[in-house]
């Protein structure tokens, strides 16, 4: 069972859509604490910030996609991870050091080259999204 008192990694993103690069990020995150909160920014049909205007998927679609993909990889919702709806957060700030680490992860070129922009283009070319 997901324990809100236990140290937890937070992943915040648009996830438009969730892909293998996101899975690699999730797997690295869960290895740190054993559980992850995935926050999904509400950006469907709006800008997620400069250069992030292409957001065709809703929170419901993204959440379902994430849960299904993580289930196929052996992870369980409400046990290994939870998914939360959040507003269109574009800036993260904090005061004094109060126990948070903000980390940017780096991956191998095959993971770094995965692009949700290219995935959305393919989905449009195949007529799966508008």
């Amino acid at each position: 069972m997901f324990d809100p008192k236990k140290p937890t990694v937070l992943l915040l993103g648009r996830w438009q859509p969730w892909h293998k690069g996101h899975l690699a990020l999730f797997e690295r995150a869960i290895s740190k604490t054993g559980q992850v909160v995935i926050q999904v920014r509400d950006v469907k049909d709006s800008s997620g910030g400069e250069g992030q205007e292409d957001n065709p998927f809703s929170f419901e679609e993204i959440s379902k996609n994430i849960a299904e993909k993580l289930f196929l990889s052996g992870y369980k919702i409400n046990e290994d991870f939870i998914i939360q709806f959040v507003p269109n957060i574009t800036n993260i700030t904090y005061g004094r050091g109060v126990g948070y680490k903000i980390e940017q992860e780096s991956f191998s070129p095959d993971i770094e080259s995965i692009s949700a922009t290219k995935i959305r283009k393919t989905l449009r070319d195949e007529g799966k999204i508008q």
Side-chain angles (χ1 to χ4, degrees), residues 3 8 89 104 124:
D3 182 355
T8 305
I89 295 170
Q104 179 175 347
R124 284 192 177 94

Side-chain angles (χ1 to χ4, degrees), residues 2-49:
F2 191 90
D3 182 355
K5 297 286 187 183
K6 182 179 172 187
T8 305
V9 174
L10 168 66
L11 296 179
L12 169 65
R14 295 181 303 147
W15 321 114
Q16 292 276 332
W18 183 268
H19 55 64
K20 288 195 292 187
H22 297 144
L23 175 61
L25 181 62
F26 173 87
E27 288 178 334
R28 188 160 302 164
I30 201 164
S31 73
K32 294 177 186 206
T33 62
Q35 64 182 30
V36 175
V37 171
I38 302 169
Q39 291 187 329
V40 179
R41 292 171 54 200
D42 182 21
V43 293
K44 180 176 173 43
D45 299 329
S46 66
S47 176

Side-chain angles (χ1 to χ4, degrees), residues 119-130:
I119 293 169
R120 289 190 301 273
K121 182 183 181 322
T122 299
L123 292 171
R124 284 192 177 94
D125 291 347
E126 294 172 351
K128 294 180 179 174
I129 63 171
Q130 293 185 359

